[in-house]
Amino acid sequence: DGGITQSPKYLFRKEGQNVTLSCEQNLNHDAMYWYRQDPGQGLRLIYYSQIVNDFQKGDIAEGYSVSREKKESFPLTVTSAQKNPTAFYLCASRASGIYNEQFFGPGTRLTVL
Amino acid sequence: KNQVEQSPQSLIILEGKNCTLQCNYTVSPFSNLRWYKQDTGRGPVSLTIMTFSENTKSNGRYTATLDADTKQSSLHITASQLSDSASYICVVSANFGNEKLTFGTGTRLTIIP
């Protein structure tokens, strides 16, 4: 899990509620990412940020929002507009270099009741 | 459309045996190929990363190969251990100026004693 932490590990939400997933890294990486993982599917990119105060939509951004006020933090809010939010959410940060390797956090499992 | 296909979808082998996982991709422009190990309920952990010019890379009992001409990669696990039970995900990076990752759906490996 390296220097990336995600909290909480498990999260339960009622329909119609917004929830915020936390992601913190102490690796001094500029770029951070949010992915969603569903059974039988590859990871899908929700949002990414390459620098503080800037972020871009990924492939499945609808129903999600993010902020990047600090280099170390990249929280993800799952809004009530997300139709099927139950999934495993992974945060990652990227090292600069020849490989641009991404390091993943331990994940948050969100279940909508 | 960029795609990464992995086979087999699942595999069960006896402890101590070797196995090989396959990854075929149609991603361009190709930047690098990565293999990750993901334990159940955890974040992926990097095993190997290879660029276009690298055709083999090892990490302990894990050896990855890359054939950029046929767009195929394999991950060979030697002398399997119970702790190797996990999902193995092939990820291919394309670089359009901004890096874009395409994830395979993974191979679920189970090692039995």
Side-chain angles (χ1 to χ4, degrees), chain B residues 35-85:
Chain B
W35 284 95
Y36 284 89
K37 178 186 179 186
Q38 185 177 24
D39 293 317
T40 302
R42 306 292 298 274
V45 175
S46 179
L47 294 175
T48 63
I49 302 177
M50 292 177 290
T51 63
F52 184 89
S53 60
E54 299 171 295
N55 56 24
T56 186
K57 184 164 281 189
S58 293
N59 178 359
R61 295 178 297 101
Y62 301 100
T63 299
T65 64
L66 173 64
D67 186 332
D69 291 332
T70 62
K71 300 186 177 181
Q72 296 180 325
S73 176
S74 65
L75 180 69
H76 185 74
I77 303 175
T78 303
S80 61
Q81 301 176 358
L82 297 178
S83 60
D84 292 331
S85 293

Side-chain angles (χ1 to χ4, degrees), chain B residues 3-18:
Chain B
Q3 286 187 314
V4 175
E5 296 183 353
Q6 293 187 244
S7 62
Q9 189 172 10
S10 62
L11 182 63
I12 301 174
I13 64 171
L14 289 172
E15 184 181 9
K17 297 296 185 181
N18 303 336

Side-chain angles (χ1 to χ4, degrees), chain A residues 1 9 35 37 40-43 48 50 59 88 90 94 99-102 104-106, chain B residues 32 34 36 38 41-44 46 49 51 54 57 89 98-101 103-105:
Chain A
D1 299 336
K9 186 172 178 62
Y35 294 93
Q37 188 174 35
Q41 297 190 41
L43 273 68
Y48 65 101
Q50 300 202 64
D59 300 320
F88 190 52
L90 287 160
R94 189 190 75 200
Y99 295 118
N100 290 326
E101 184 174 0
Q102 289 194 18
F104 287 86
Chain B
N32 59 63
R34 313 157 187 212
Y36 284 89
Q38 185 177 24
R42 306 292 298 274
S46 179
I49 302 177
T51 63
E54 299 171 295
K57 184 164 281 189
I89 303 173
N98 286 326
E99 185 185 55
K100 168 73 172 175
L101 299 184
F103 291 80
T105 56

Side-chain angles (χ1 to χ4, degrees), chain B residues 14-26:
Chain B
L14 289 172
E15 184 181 9
K17 297 296 185 181
N18 303 336
C19 66
T20 300
L21 314 181
Q22 301 291 342
C23 173
N24 296 336
Y25 63 92
T26 53

Side-chain angles (χ1 to χ4, degrees), chain A residues 10-46:
Chain A
Y10 299 98
L11 185 58
F12 298 89
R13 188 195 94 175
K14 293 182 179 179
E15 284 191 18
Q17 289 182 336
N18 294 353
V19 290
T20 297
L21 282 58
S22 170
C23 177
E24 304 278 333
Q25 55 101 359
N26 62 4
L27 300 171
N28 199 34
H29 291 165
D30 287 316
M32 298 185 72
Y33 303 79
W34 274 106
Y35 294 93
R36 171 181 172 140
Q37 188 174 35
D38 294 282
Q41 297 190 41
L43 273 68
R44 292 181 289 168
L45 181 65
I46 304 173

